[in-house]
């Protein structure tokens, strides 16, 4: 199938009427907000677990601490990156997508034609 090209050589994406797209955008925003909340809850659970472990270690006697062994600091750093930093980067990306969708919703009137960024193509494919 031939695709129309813009003057800069990039393919044109089809435009859609704002009135037919607004319900999809609202569902998209709701779904992305739910994903962000779920990720934040996972991070919060990890941080609570980590604080409990640290508190339990600190309340041990010196002899028990010597026998029990604590995770090395570099292991804790890797855990932090895996369980906190990367998920929070995902949350920031989700929030940016949400903000972009809200911007489109606020700036368009029901009769306007809207061209979407590629990130939103999955909304219309389902």
């Amino acid at each position: 199938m031939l695709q129309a090209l813009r003057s800069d050589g990039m393919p044109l994406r089809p435009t859609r009427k704002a009135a037919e797209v607004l319900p999809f955008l609202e569902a998209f925003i709701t779904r992305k907000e739910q994903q962000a909340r779920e990720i934040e809850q996972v991070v919060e659970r990890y941080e609570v677990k980590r604080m409990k472990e640290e508190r339990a270690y600190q309340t041990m006697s010196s002899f028990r601490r010597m026998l029990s062994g604590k995770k090395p600091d570099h292991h804790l750093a890797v855990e932090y990156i895996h369980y906190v930093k990367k998920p929070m980067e995902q949350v920031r990306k989700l929030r940016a997508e949400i903000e972009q969708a809200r911007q489109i919703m606020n700036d368009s009137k029901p009769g306007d034609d809207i061209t979407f960024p590629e990130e939103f193509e999955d909304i219309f494919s389902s």
Side-chain angles (χ1 to χ4, degrees):
M1 181 169 135
L2 293 175
Q3 290 186 356
L5 296 178
R6 298 186 312 207
S7 61
D8 60 359
M10 299 298 292
L12 282 176
R13 290 186 297 278
T15 60
R16 297 179 185 266
K17 292 286 184 193
E20 70 182 40
V21 172
L22 291 179
F24 291 108
L25 281 176
E26 291 170 1
F28 176 80
I29 289 170
T30 304
R31 188 175 69 231
K32 293 297 180 178
E33 285 175 341
Q34 180 63 31
Q35 287 176 350
R37 279 193 301 272
E38 289 171 358
I39 292 171
E40 288 170 340
Q41 288 172 354
V42 169
V43 169
E44 181 67 27
R45 283 194 304 265
Y46 169 77
E47 289 176 338
V48 167
K49 177 184 150 212
R50 186 70 205 109
M51 287 189 315
K52 284 181 182 178
E53 289 175 355
E54 184 61 29
R55 243 181 285 137
Y57 182 79
Q58 293 300 324
T59 59
M60 288 182 186
S61 67
S62 300
F63 184 69
R64 285 196 65 184
R65 266 192 249 166
M66 185 175 67
L67 293 176
S68 73
K70 182 181 174 186
K71 290 181 183 176
D73 288 339
H74 64 278
H75 285 240
L76 296 176
V78 170
E79 277 185 8
Y80 177 81
I81 290 169
H82 180 75
Y83 290 110
V84 177
K85 189 174 181 181
K86 287 187 178 181
M88 292 310 287
E89 287 174 4
Q90 277 184 308
V91 169
R92 280 190 287 280
K93 287 178 185 174
L94 290 171
R95 298 267 186 239
E97 288 178 9
I98 291 168
E99 186 58 35
Q100 192 174 16
R102 283 198 175 123
Q103 185 77 27
I104 291 170
M105 284 179 63
N106 293 337
D107 291 347
S108 61
K109 296 179 183 112
D112 292 346
D113 286 334
I114 300 175
T115 303
F116 289 94
E118 291 177 15
E119 302 92 53
F120 294 135
E121 289 300 321
D122 64 331
I123 298 173
F124 306 110
S125 61
S126 57

